[in-house]
Amino acid sequence: MDAANAERAAHGRAPLATHSTLTSLARTKARDMAVNGYFDHVSPTLGTARDQMLAAGLNPKYWGENIGMGGSVQTIHRAFMESPGHRANILSAGFTHMGAGVVRQGGRIWVAEMFMQPR
């Protein structure tokens, strides 16, 4: 979250507010990928990030998700910023809230970032 907001500040964007439900959902998604051994935006058990948000009672106007896997959170963040789609999520003026989840398992770090703008 701090790294995303530092990038936003450097690019003249307002900071993202931490959203406790998104944080919980992102942790669940990161853990789901690590435990079930997949790497995809669509979970075989949870569906999409939007599915998770709706199931949790959220109804976002805009939503997005970044997922990453690697050896360190810093390496994953750098990869996000080098990827046009991930970078766009982090810097999007359309997003106002974020939650992030990090899970360490099997010598790897799994990251999920969820973004939204509430209705």
Side-chain angles (χ1 to χ4, degrees):
M1 183 83 183
D2 291 341
N5 277 332
E7 296 288 354
R8 289 175 69 87
H11 290 87
R13 298 278 191 243
L16 295 163
T18 301
H19 193 285
S20 61
T21 302
L22 287 181
T23 298
S24 177
L25 295 175
R27 287 179 181 153
T28 298
K29 172 64 182 247
R31 184 172 36 258
D32 185 57
M33 289 189 298
V35 169
N36 292 309
Y38 74 94
F39 185 72
D40 198 297
H41 287 285
V42 181
S43 162
T45 58
L46 304 170
T48 65
R50 183 174 184 271
D51 294 334
Q52 285 183 265
M53 290 178 199
L54 293 174
L58 302 175
N59 187 18
K61 183 175 181 178
Y62 303 112
W63 65 276
E65 176 187 56
N66 287 345
I67 58 172
M69 177 181 52
S72 73
V73 172
Q74 294 81 7
T75 300
I76 295 167
H77 177 72
R78 277 194 307 274
F80 285 163
M81 292 310 293
E82 292 170 1
S83 162
H86 295 96
R87 178 185 176 92
N89 281 341
I90 291 169
L91 298 178
S92 174
F95 295 136
T96 56
H97 294 78
M98 178 185 174
V102 177
V103 172
R104 297 176 197 279
Q105 180 158 322
R108 291 187 176 162
I109 295 174
W110 305 75
V111 172
E113 297 177 336
M114 292 193 183
F115 306 89
M116 75 167 192
Q117 179 184 77
R119 288 193 186 272

